[in-house]
């Protein structure tokens, strides 16, 4: 997906010599349509496209559930541009100018990884979180979380239905040197419940007696049996 004709031709020739079948899209709109309609092994996506830029193309593909690996290319080498691309769902980022040998190696690595589902937002029932923007919601209501509460909720959303021990939570949300006998995990789970469950009359974050805590894959009305 490249609108500069000379670059598109060079990439096409190089990839064809590597044994790939190549389709070209010259606009962001065409890119979304083609990648949405056809089962590609990889998308090589230029950041600067007419119409929709590469970031928006990537975001729209992820939104419609297309998990094809995306390698983003750009003449911009700023950290902000790389962050925008990766947060939109790109799998890798290569700044121009680059050697074709490096691009070829990155293409091979991404194809080996395959089209694994990796949403840019985490969601379980109507509880969702965006790691990039540091925002979380219950349905359409945005949640006001501290940094530790956010990290704790992100951990639960990455492991829905799993029982997480206090030790595992400490290792992921605090650090290995934290006092293992502290009740800080219990305190923060309580804080989190007060923000994500109780105001909405639901019970989703539950205590598993003698084991730890679990985020149910479905929320239930508080007090229901």
């Amino acid at each position: 997906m490249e609108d500069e004709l000379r670059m598109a031709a060079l990439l096409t020739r190089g990839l064809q010599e590597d044994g790939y079948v190549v389709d070209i899209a010259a606009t962001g709109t065409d890119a979304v349509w083609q990648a949405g309609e056809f089962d590609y092994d990889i998308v090589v996506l230029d950041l600067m496209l007419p119409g929709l830029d590469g970031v928006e193309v990537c975001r729209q593909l992820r939104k419609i559930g297309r998990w094809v690996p995306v390698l983003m290319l750009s003449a911009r080498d700023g950290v902000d541009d790389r962050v925008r691309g990766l947060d939109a769902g790109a799998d890798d980022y290569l700044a121009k100018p680059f050697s074709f040998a490096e691009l070829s190696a990155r293409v091979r690595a991404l194809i080996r990884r395959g089209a694994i589902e990796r949403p840019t937002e985490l969601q379980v029932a109507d509880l969702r979180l965006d790691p990039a923007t540091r925002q979380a919601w219950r349905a359409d209501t945005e949640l006001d979380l501290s940094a530790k509460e956010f990290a704790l909720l992100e951990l639960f959303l990455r492991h829905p239905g799993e029982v997480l021990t206090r030790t595992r939570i400490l290792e992921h949300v605090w650090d290995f040197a934290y006092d293992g006998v502290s009740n800080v995990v219990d305190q923060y789970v309580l804080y989190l419940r007060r923000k994500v469950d109780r105001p909405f009359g639901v019970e989703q974050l539950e205590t598993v007696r003698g084991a730890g805590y679990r985020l149910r894959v479905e929320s239930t009305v508080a007090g229901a049996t």
Side-chain angles (χ1 to χ4, degrees):
M1 299 174 180
E2 168 67 66
D3 64 314
E4 206 281 308
L5 294 179
R6 182 172 178 273
M7 175 62 75
L10 289 171
L11 290 175
T12 298
R13 185 174 65 190
L15 290 168
Q16 286 175 338
E17 289 176 356
D18 280 350
Y20 300 107
V21 176
V22 181
D23 289 336
I24 301 173
T27 70
T29 302
D30 288 345
V32 172
W33 180 81
Q34 287 182 222
E37 287 292 318
F38 302 104
D39 189 19
Y40 292 110
D41 294 306
I42 188 168
V43 167
V44 180
L45 176 62
D46 190 55
L47 177 65
M48 300 302 294
L49 289 172
L52 304 176
D53 67 7
V55 169
E56 186 57 30
V57 169
C58 193
R59 184 176 290 116
Q60 289 199 21
L61 290 178
R62 298 319 189 209
K63 188 174 182 179
I64 64 174
R66 299 297 284 182
W67 306 110
V68 55
V70 172
L71 172 57
M72 191 167 286
L73 309 178
S74 178
R76 298 178 179 177
D77 193 26
V79 172
D80 289 346
D81 291 305
R82 294 198 299 272
V83 169
R84 285 179 63 233
L86 294 169
D87 279 344
D91 299 276
D92 199 359
Y93 190 104
L94 188 57
K96 300 176 182 179
F98 52 81
S99 74
F100 184 80
E102 181 178 5
L103 180 138
S104 182
R106 291 178 184 241
V107 165
R108 291 194 298 273
L110 290 174
I111 289 176
R112 285 197 301 270
R113 184 186 305 177
I116 303 169
E117 182 174 344
R118 38 192 180 275
T120 54
E121 287 189 359
L122 305 173
Q123 182 164 359
V124 177
D126 63 348
L127 191 58
R128 60 190 175 94
L129 176 148
D130 187 334
T133 63
R134 310 294 295 175
Q135 292 174 286
W137 302 264
R138 168 73 77 181
D140 294 326
T141 302
E142 186 168 355
L143 306 171
D144 182 17
L145 304 178
S146 70
K148 286 299 184 188
E149 291 165 351
F150 187 93
L152 183 58
L153 179 59
E154 182 174 353
L155 179 63
F156 280 119
L157 285 169
R158 290 190 184 278
H159 301 278
E162 294 183 32
V163 177
L164 303 183
T165 65
R166 290 169 177 82
T167 299
R168 186 174 179 186
I169 293 170
L170 277 172
E171 290 173 348
H172 283 79
V173 179
W174 281 268
D175 59 55
F176 72 93
Y178 204 90
D179 180 5
V181 299
S182 170
N183 67 345
V184 67
V185 171
D186 306 285
Q187 292 174 341
Y188 271 85
V189 168
L190 178 60
Y191 298 156
L192 195 58
R193 279 197 182 114
R194 288 173 176 171
K195 293 185 177 181
V196 307
D197 278 358
R198 292 182 184 175
F200 304 94
V202 300
E203 293 178 349
Q204 190 171 6
L205 185 53
E206 67 176 350
T207 301
V208 180
R209 192 174 299 277
Y213 297 97
R214 172 170 53 207
L215 183 71
R216 295 175 179 171
V217 294
E218 295 180 357
S219 59
T220 58
V221 177
T225 57

